[in-house]
Amino acid sequence: MNRLLANRNYSPFRAGLRLALANKRLLLWVYLATLAVGLAAALPFHARMASVLDHSLAAQSIAGRFDVSSYVLLMMNLGKHGTSLYMQAFAAILGYCVVSNILAAGIYYVFATGEVPRLAVVVRSGIEYFWRFFRLLLFVLILAGPVLAILAALRRLLLKHADNIYVGRQFFFISLATFAVFALVALFFRLWFDIAEASVVQLGLDGNRRVRRVLFPSMRLLRKQFAPAYFGYFSIGCIGWAVFFFLTWLWMAAVPPHAVLLAWIVGQLATLSLLAARIWERGLATAVVALAEPETVAHTAVFTAPVWQTIPAETPSTLPASNPQETASSEQDNTRSPE
Amino acid sequence: MFRAQRISVVFFLGLLLCLTRSLAVAQVAAQTAIATNAPAGQPLSQRVVAYTIDAKVDTQKKTVDATETLDYKNLTGQPLDTFPFHLYLNAFRPQSTFAYETHLGGGIRGSAHDYPKDEIGGITINQISADGYGDLTQQMQFTAPDDGNRNDHTVMQVHLAKPLAPGETIHFHLTFHDKFPLSVARNGYKRDFVMGGQWFPKIGVFWHGAWNCHQYHATTEFFSDFGTFDVKLTVPNRYTVGASGVQVGEQKNGNGTKTLHFYGEDIHDFAWAASPHFIVVDENFQNSMGTVKLHGLVLQAHANQAKRYLSVLKRTMQKFDEWYGVFPYKQMTLIDPEPGSEMFGMEYPTLITAGTSWWAPQSLPIGLETTTEHEFGHQYWYGMVATNEFEEAWLDEGINSYTEAKVMAALYGKQTSAIDLHTDRMSDLETQRLGYLSIPDYDPLTRWAWKFYNANSYGAITYGKTATALTTLEAVVGEPTMQKALHVYFERYKFKHPTGTDFLNTISEVSGRNDLGPYFQDAVYGTKMLDYAVVDAASEPVEWWKSPPKHYKGPWRTVVAMHRKGDFVFPVTLEVRFSDGSKTREHWDGADRWIRYTYVKNAKVVSAEIDPDHKILLDSNYFNNSYVVAANGTASWKLANYWMFVEQFMAQFASWLI
Ligand SMILES: [Zn+2]
């Protein structure tokens, strides 16, 4: 186990932050993937734009204070090139999703084991867990999809009703409030599945390849530590978005129109802020799993003894009361129902 | 008594009588100018119709029950035995031509994919009769002069047993019932707001020797004769009503309702809007004819924007007064319609609906300001110069879009009249050009409104291309001349029904140019595209076969070539700049497909630009209008950075599930 998780006095919020800060290289790998996806879309786009703009005086309407109509006309005139540029951008996003699947597993692995976050470690472990994470994603869609769809439908219904009565600012706040409810539920699902992902990796360390049957024990874990986990998770999201919005505002408000490099740096910092928040969230999920009370662990019969036995000796008080019988039964359980 | 004496006495008495009568007439006339500032109260238009309507509005059921009297004066010079009426509200049924056309080619408003039940509306004439002709109810029959759709009930006609002689007036009496749809195509209700537009049986226009009474189409607007409107509306006490004309009375009925009395003259339609949530904001505008009351009815939800409405309205009126002519009515009513409705942005005589949202910032004039300006502009280009909107929509929407761009530029900046953000900008004129270029070559301006390829083409050409083409015409005749031409056109054709030919002839006449025919042919009657490009701009040593010495200073031979890519021929100017700071301008008639210029100078070419003064708005591509020898990647990298940022954001968003 990662020794950073050994201190049980830490809240998941704080423990997640410690994990993220101790593994800054993870942010680098994730950022490089994001940079790659950005470049994959932007370079062909630039080549196309350069052929139209680089020798044109009309480019001033783009280079200086941005003339929206010039940009729209440029896009309208892309024709066939437009389709291929959009396809490339779309394909790059699909590729990014695949890479994200690998990186996510790698991040949990590094968090759980405390291994040095070298790219090789992240990628190797990411590939190892790739299909398990992919299956988990399918379960996510099956479980969260209908709930969120029903919520969205309810929200639409409610707003339709509200629209008959409220207008202007009042309606906006109703719309915002209902969206907040939707977003908070979606966040709950995301946290649940983050914990499930962390659990899958924890179990995987012991050769346990469970995926589906991790979901409900993860929910129990979440329930046990709901307040610190959920509000911590929520806070991280808020911090990430706040920094993101601040930087994009700064970009628009303070970066001179011609300062492309400066704009690029600010834009990338904004991108980084969301990536960093996501890694922190994964750290929190790992902490929720690792900091679970031993009884919960035993009760859920998911987390096996060896994980806990790796906790360093300098924090003996945090060792869970290992129960060999329960551990054994857990392992039997594993062999009975492989997935 | 001598005969001569008798004659002089009779003459004197006659003179006295005449004088007294004309004084009395003048007094009556002065009293009858209720809704206009016409000098001595004389009519401003040839009043063909006089409507008297008494309507009870059921704001719960969204219905109207009314009686209507229509006095129609036969000024056609020929006997008339058939009278067609528009029943516009019947468009709001799935069987109508309006609904089918919207389904087929989209509509400016309305849903293309289904016909929701609550958007069904209609108008039923329960009874119609005419003095001296008896009951005509059985005579009523629906006709479909445009497409023969028997199920389209937007035009009804009655046939008289004996024709109405020229100069005679017929008095029709109708009772009718309206059922308003849930907000569709400028009409109906939204929440407790009711918009009474195109709500009463309205007679067609006898024009160019025949009745002109088209069906209601997905993209068409309206056409009707000038006259007077005396309208009583009974509504619940809590409602505030804005209407065409001026309010001349109010009576409490004691049953929770009140009857409001409105009167309009020298107008050709009458609309009203009712809501319990209006706040009233009034201001006055002074022009050479008198005082105009600006009567704003703004929703409480948008109270913070009431001043903006009045401000842009007043400033727009000022510009129109200055540039095109005087506004003769006593009142201009502005309605702020319910958000989320299709009632925003619509013009009726002396009443407009604008539209905003509670958050709309002032840095986006493209919302509230543009809409208010545009709809007010229609008071001139539709309200007074009452062209046929069915057949020549470019004369109202198009000319109005052109003047919109001019007024907005004058009020909110030439480059920022649509968007004026810290980082971004856009002009109203560019929104027009953008609209045009979205689908530029399917239809000419002059196509009848419902015969356009689809609703997008209608919008692009009617609004966008007209504004773009008229602005481009300024490059030929000059901006002041265009302004004068519009002024003359307004003065000459106000309270009349001119045609496109009248408009174009006025431009030719005022500009003194009889060579505009080819331009009108391509820009107005045709669909050709205009696009010029610089295809070559390079310098090389005159003795090109020798390799030049290290610090070779010249002479250089510079070759610049232009290509006319489109079929639209238009004279253009080329500006070539050289490395010694000198520049030269060439003028090309554009008749051939290309032209090449050669210069020998001790300086190299720096850039070549077509239309250096940026006057040819019809040019479909500005980016190929110039060539700069030294590349500058700022714009392309800037866009690539935006593209990258958005891509990265989308990628993170998509992978959020993982
Ligand atoms: Zn209009």
Side-chain angles (χ1 to χ4, degrees), chain B residues 557-603:
Chain B
R557 179 182 286 115
T558 293
V559 173
V560 177
M562 277 191 281
H563 176 210
R564 176 166 59 77
K565 297 180 79 177
D567 293 327
F568 195 129
V569 176
F570 194 83
V572 290
T573 302
L574 173 77
E575 183 173 281
V576 186
R577 287 172 177 267
F578 295 93
S579 53
D580 60 357
S582 64
K583 60 183 177 184
T584 181
R585 283 195 173 198
E586 311 287 352
H587 301 281
W588 179 38
D589 63 7
D592 205 341
R593 293 305 299 215
W594 62 271
I595 194 164
R596 179 184 289 140
Y597 297 97
T598 306
Y599 311 90
V600 176
K601 283 170 94 90
N602 281 336

Coordinates of all heavy atoms in Angstrom, one line a residue, chain B residues 557-603:
Chain B
R557 N 11.3 43.8 -61.5 CA 10.0 43.7 -62.3 C 9.0 43.0 -61.4 O 9.2 41.9 -60.9 CB 10.2 42.9 -63.6 CG 8.9 42.9 -64.4 CD 9.0 42.1 -65.7 NE 9.7 42.8 -66.7 CZ 10.9 42.4 -67.2 NH1 11.4 41.3 -66.7 NH2 11.5 43.1 -68.2
T558 N 7.9 43.7 -61.2 CA 6.8 43.2 -60.3 C 5.6 42.8 -61.2 O 5.2 43.6 -62.1 CB 6.4 44.2 -59.3 OG1 7.5 44.4 -58.4 CG2 5.2 43.7 -58.5
V559 N 5.1 41.6 -61.0 CA 3.9 41.2 -61.7 C 2.8 40.9 -60.7 O 3.0 40.2 -59.7 CB 4.2 39.9 -62.5 CG1 2.9 39.4 -63.1 CG2 5.2 40.2 -63.6
V560 N 1.7 41.6 -60.9 CA 0.5 41.3 -60.1 C -0.7 40.9 -61.0 O -0.9 41.6 -62.0 CB 0.1 42.6 -59.3 CG1 -1.2 42.3 -58.5 CG2 1.2 43.0 -58.4
A561 N -1.4 39.9 -60.6 CA -2.5 39.4 -61.5 C -3.7 39.2 -60.6 O -3.7 38.8 -59.5 CB -2.1 38.1 -62.2
M562 N -4.9 39.5 -61.3 CA -6.2 39.4 -60.6 C -7.0 38.4 -61.4 O -6.9 38.4 -62.6 CB -6.9 40.7 -60.6 CG -6.6 41.7 -59.5 SD -7.8 43.0 -59.4 CE -7.2 44.0 -60.7
H563 N -7.8 37.7 -60.7 CA -8.7 36.7 -61.3 C -10.1 37.0 -60.9 O -10.4 37.1 -59.7 CB -8.3 35.3 -60.9 CG -9.2 34.2 -61.5 ND1 -9.4 33.0 -60.8 CD2 -9.9 34.1 -62.6 CE1 -10.2 32.3 -61.5 NE2 -10.5 32.9 -62.6
R564 N -11.0 37.1 -61.9 CA -12.5 37.2 -61.5 C -13.0 35.8 -61.4 O -13.2 35.1 -62.4 CB -13.3 38.0 -62.6 CG -14.7 38.0 -62.3 CD -15.5 39.0 -63.1 NE -15.4 38.8 -64.5 CZ -16.0 37.9 -65.2 NH1 -16.9 37.1 -64.6 NH2 -15.8 37.8 -66.5
K565 N -13.2 35.3 -60.2 CA -13.6 33.9 -60.0 C -15.1 33.7 -60.2 O -15.5 32.6 -60.6 CB -13.2 33.5 -58.6 CG -11.7 33.5 -58.4 CD -11.3 33.0 -57.0 CE -11.4 31.5 -56.9 NZ -11.0 31.1 -55.5
G566 N -15.9 34.7 -59.9 CA -17.3 34.6 -60.0 C -17.8 35.1 -61.4 O -17.0 35.7 -62.1
D567 N -19.1 34.9 -61.7 CA -19.6 35.4 -62.9 C -20.1 36.8 -62.9 O -20.4 37.4 -63.9 CB -20.8 34.5 -63.4 CG -20.3 33.1 -63.7 OD1 -19.1 33.0 -64.2 OD2 -21.0 32.1 -63.4
F568 N -20.2 37.3 -61.7 CA -20.7 38.7 -61.4 C -19.6 39.6 -61.8 O -18.5 39.6 -61.2 CB -21.1 38.8 -60.0 CG -21.9 40.0 -59.6 CD1 -23.1 39.8 -58.9 CD2 -21.5 41.3 -60.0 CE1 -23.8 40.9 -58.5 CE2 -22.3 42.4 -59.7 CZ -23.5 42.2 -58.9
V569 N -19.8 40.5 -62.8 CA -18.8 41.4 -63.3 C -19.1 42.7 -62.5 O -20.2 43.3 -62.5 CB -19.0 41.7 -64.8 CG1 -18.0 42.7 -65.3 CG2 -18.7 40.3 -65.5
F570 N -18.0 43.2 -61.9 CA -18.1 44.5 -61.2 C -16.7 45.2 -61.3 O -15.7 44.5 -61.2 CB -18.4 44.1 -59.7 CG -18.8 45.3 -58.9 CD1 -20.2 45.7 -58.9 CD2 -17.9 46.0 -58.1 CE1 -20.6 46.8 -58.2 CE2 -18.3 47.1 -57.4 CZ -19.7 47.5 -57.4
P571 N -16.7 46.5 -61.5 CA -15.4 47.2 -61.6 C -14.7 47.2 -60.2 O -15.4 47.4 -59.2 CB -15.8 48.6 -62.0 CG -17.2 48.7 -61.7 CD -17.9 47.4 -61.7
V572 N -13.4 46.9 -60.3 CA -12.7 46.9 -59.0 C -11.4 47.7 -59.1 O -10.9 48.0 -60.1 CB -12.3 45.4 -58.6 CG1 -13.5 44.6 -58.3 CG2 -11.5 44.7 -59.7
T573 N -11.0 48.0 -57.9 CA -9.7 48.8 -57.7 C -8.7 47.9 -57.1 O -9.0 47.1 -56.2 CB -9.9 50.0 -56.8 OG1 -11.0 50.8 -57.4 CG2 -8.7 50.8 -56.6
L574 N -7.4 48.0 -57.6 CA -6.3 47.2 -57.0 C -5.3 48.2 -56.5 O -4.9 49.1 -57.1 CB -5.7 46.3 -58.1 CG -4.4 45.6 -57.8 CD1 -4.8 44.3 -56.9 CD2 -3.7 45.1 -59.0
E575 N -4.9 47.9 -55.3 CA -3.8 48.7 -54.7 C -2.5 47.9 -54.5 O -2.6 46.8 -53.8 CB -4.2 49.3 -53.4 CG -3.2 50.2 -52.8 CD -3.7 51.0 -51.5 OE1 -4.4 51.9 -51.6 OE2 -3.3 50.5 -50.4
V576 N -1.4 48.3 -55.1 CA -0.2 47.6 -55.0 C 0.8 48.5 -54.1 O 0.9 49.7 -54.4 CB 0.4 47.3 -56.4 CG1 1.7 46.4 -56.2 CG2 -0.6 46.6 -57.3
R577 N 1.3 47.9 -53.1 CA 2.3 48.6 -52.3 C 3.7 48.0 -52.5 O 3.8 46.8 -52.6 CB 1.9 48.4 -50.8 CG 0.7 49.2 -50.4 CD 0.2 48.9 -49.0 NE -0.9 49.7 -48.6 CZ -0.8 50.8 -47.9 NH1 0.4 51.3 -47.6 NH2 -1.9 51.5 -47.6
F578 N 4.7 48.9 -52.4 CA 6.0 48.5 -52.7 C 6.9 48.8 -51.4 O 6.5 49.5 -50.5 CB 6.6 49.3 -53.9 CG 5.9 49.0 -55.2 CD1 4.8 49.7 -55.6 CD2 6.3 47.9 -55.9 CE1 4.1 49.4 -56.8 CE2 5.6 47.5 -57.1 CZ 4.5 48.3 -57.5
S579 N 8.1 48.1 -51.5 CA 9.0 48.2 -50.3 C 9.5 49.6 -50.1 O 10.0 49.8 -49.0 CB 10.1 47.2 -50.5 OG 10.8 47.5 -51.8
D580 N 9.5 50.5 -51.0 CA 9.9 51.9 -50.7 C 8.8 52.7 -50.2 O 9.0 54.0 -50.1 CB 10.5 52.5 -52.0 CG 9.5 52.6 -53.1 OD1 8.3 52.1 -52.9 OD2 9.8 53.1 -54.2
G581 N 7.7 52.1 -49.8 CA 6.6 52.9 -49.2 C 5.6 53.4 -50.3 O 4.6 54.0 -49.9
S582 N 6.0 53.3 -51.5 CA 5.1 53.8 -52.6 C 3.9 52.9 -52.8 O 4.0 51.7 -52.5 CB 5.8 54.1 -53.9 OG 6.3 52.8 -54.4
K583 N 2.8 53.4 -53.3 CA 1.7 52.6 -53.7 C 1.0 53.1 -54.9 O 1.1 54.3 -55.3 CB 0.7 52.5 -52.5 CG 0.1 53.8 -52.1 CD -0.8 53.6 -50.9 CE -1.3 54.9 -50.4 NZ -2.1 54.8 -49.2
T584 N 0.4 52.2 -55.6 CA -0.3 52.6 -56.9 C -1.6 51.9 -56.9 O -1.8 50.8 -56.4 CB 0.6 52.2 -58.1 OG1 -0.1 52.7 -59.3 CG2 0.8 50.7 -58.2
R585 N -2.6 52.6 -57.6 CA -3.9 52.0 -57.7 C -4.3 51.8 -59.2 O -4.0 52.6 -60.0 CB -5.0 52.9 -57.0 CG -5.0 52.8 -55.5 CD -6.2 53.4 -54.9 NE -6.2 53.1 -53.5 CZ -7.3 53.2 -52.7 NH1 -8.4 53.5 -53.2 NH2 -7.2 52.9 -51.4
E586 N -4.9 50.6 -59.4 CA -5.3 50.3 -60.8 C -6.9 50.1 -60.8 O -7.4 49.6 -59.8 CB -4.7 49.0 -61.3 CG -3.2 48.9 -61.1 CD -2.5 49.8 -62.1 OE1 -3.1 50.3 -63.0 OE2 -1.2 49.9 -61.9
H587 N -7.5 50.5 -61.9 CA -9.0 50.3 -61.9 C -9.2 49.3 -63.1 O -8.8 49.5 -64.2 CB -9.7 51.6 -62.1 CG -9.4 52.5 -61.0 ND1 -10.0 52.5 -59.8 CD2 -8.5 53.6 -60.9 CE1 -9.5 53.4 -59.0 NE2 -8.6 54.1 -59.6
W588 N -10.0 48.3 -62.8 CA -10.3 47.3 -63.8 C -11.8 47.1 -63.9 O -12.5 47.0 -62.9 CB -9.6 46.0 -63.3 CG -9.8 44.8 -64.3 CD1 -9.9 44.8 -65.6 CD2 -10.1 43.4 -63.9 NE1 -10.1 43.6 -66.1 CE2 -10.2 42.7 -65.1 CE3 -10.1 42.8 -62.7 CZ2 -10.4 41.3 -65.1 CZ3 -10.3 41.4 -62.7 CH2 -10.5 40.7 -63.9
D589 N -12.3 47.1 -65.1 CA -13.7 46.9 -65.3 C -14.2 45.5 -65.0 O -15.4 45.2 -64.9 CB -14.2 47.4 -66.7 CG -13.6 46.5 -67.8 OD1 -12.9 45.5 -67.5 OD2 -13.8 46.9 -69.0
G590 N -13.3 44.6 -64.9 CA -13.6 43.2 -64.5 C -14.3 42.4 -65.6 O -14.7 41.3 -65.4
A591 N -14.3 43.0 -66.9 CA -15.0 42.3 -67.9 C -14.4 41.0 -68.3 O -15.1 40.0 -68.5 CB -15.1 43.2 -69.2
D592 N -13.0 40.9 -68.4 CA -12.3 39.7 -68.7 C -12.2 38.8 -67.5 O -12.6 39.2 -66.4 CB -10.9 40.0 -69.2 CG -10.4 38.9 -70.2 OD1 -10.9 37.8 -70.1 OD2 -9.5 39.2 -70.9
R593 N -11.7 37.6 -67.6 CA -11.6 36.7 -66.4 C -10.4 37.1 -65.6 O -10.4 36.8 -64.4 CB -11.6 35.3 -66.8 CG -12.8 34.7 -67.4 CD -14.1 34.8 -66.6 NE -14.1 34.2 -65.3 CZ -15.2 33.7 -64.7 NH1 -16.3 33.6 -65.4 NH2 -15.2 33.2 -63.5
W594 N -9.4 37.6 -66.2 CA -8.2 38.0 -65.4 C -7.5 39.2 -66.0 O -7.7 39.6 -67.2 CB -7.2 36.8 -65.3 CG -6.7 36.3 -66.7 CD1 -7.3 35.4 -67.5 CD2 -5.5 36.8 -67.3 NE1 -6.5 35.2 -68.6 CE2 -5.4 36.1 -68.6 CE3 -4.5 37.7 -67.0 CZ2 -4.4 36.3 -69.5 CZ3 -3.5 37.9 -67.9 CH2 -3.4 37.2 -69.1
I595 N -6.6 39.8 -65.3 CA -5.8 40.9 -65.8 C -4.4 40.8 -65.0 O -4.3 40.4 -63.9 CB -6.5 42.2 -65.5 CG1 -5.8 43.3 -66.4 CG2 -6.6 42.6 -64.1 CD1 -6.7 44.6 -66.5
R596 N -3.4 41.3 -65.8 CA -2.1 41.3 -65.2 C -1.5 42.7 -65.3 O -1.6 43.3 -66.4 CB -1.2 40.2 -65.9 CG 0.2 40.2 -65.3 CD 1.1 39.2 -66.1 NE 0.7 37.8 -65.9 CZ 0.6 36.8 -66.8 NH1 0.9 37.1 -68.1 NH2 0.3 35.6 -66.5
Y597 N -0.8 43.1 -64.2 CA -0.1 44.4 -64.3 C 1.4 44.2 -64.0 O 1.7 43.3 -63.2 CB -0.6 45.4 -63.2 CG -2.1 45.7 -63.4 CD1 -3.1 45.0 -62.7 CD2 -2.5 46.7 -64.3 CE1 -4.4 45.4 -62.8 CE2 -3.8 47.0 -64.4 CZ -4.8 46.4 -63.7 OH -6.1 46.7 -63.9
T598 N 2.2 44.9 -64.8 CA 3.6 44.8 -64.6 C 4.2 46.1 -64.2 O 3.8 47.1 -64.8 CB 4.3 44.2 -65.9 OG1 3.6 43.0 -66.3 CG2 5.8 43.9 -65.7
Y599 N 5.1 46.1 -63.3 CA 5.8 47.4 -62.9 C 7.3 47.1 -62.8 O 7.7 46.0 -62.4 CB 5.4 47.8 -61.5 CG 3.9 47.8 -61.3 CD1 3.2 46.6 -60.8 CD2 3.1 48.9 -61.5 CE1 1.9 46.6 -60.6 CE2 1.7 48.9 -61.3 CZ 1.1 47.7 -60.9 OH -0.2 47.7 -60.7
V600 N 8.1 48.1 -63.2 CA 9.5 48.1 -63.1 C 9.9 49.2 -62.2 O 9.7 50.4 -62.5 CB 10.2 48.2 -64.5 CG1 11.7 48.2 -64.3 CG2 9.8 47.0 -65.3
K601 N 10.4 48.9 -61.0 CA 10.8 49.9 -60.0 C 12.0 49.4 -59.3 O 12.4 48.2 -59.3 CB 9.6 50.0 -59.0 CG 8.4 50.8 -59.4 CD 7.3 50.6 -58.4 CE 7.3 51.7 -57.4 NZ 6.5 52.8 -57.7
N602 N 12.6 50.3 -58.5 CA 13.7 49.9 -57.7 C 13.2 49.5 -56.3 O 13.7 49.8 -55.3 CB 14.7 51.1 -57.5 CG 15.6 51.2 -58.7 OD1 15.8 50.3 -59.5 ND2 16.1 52.4 -59.0
A603 N 12.1 48.9 -56.3 CA 11.4 48.4 -55.1 C 10.7 47.2 -55.4 O 10.2 47.0 -56.5 CB 10.5 49.5 -54.5

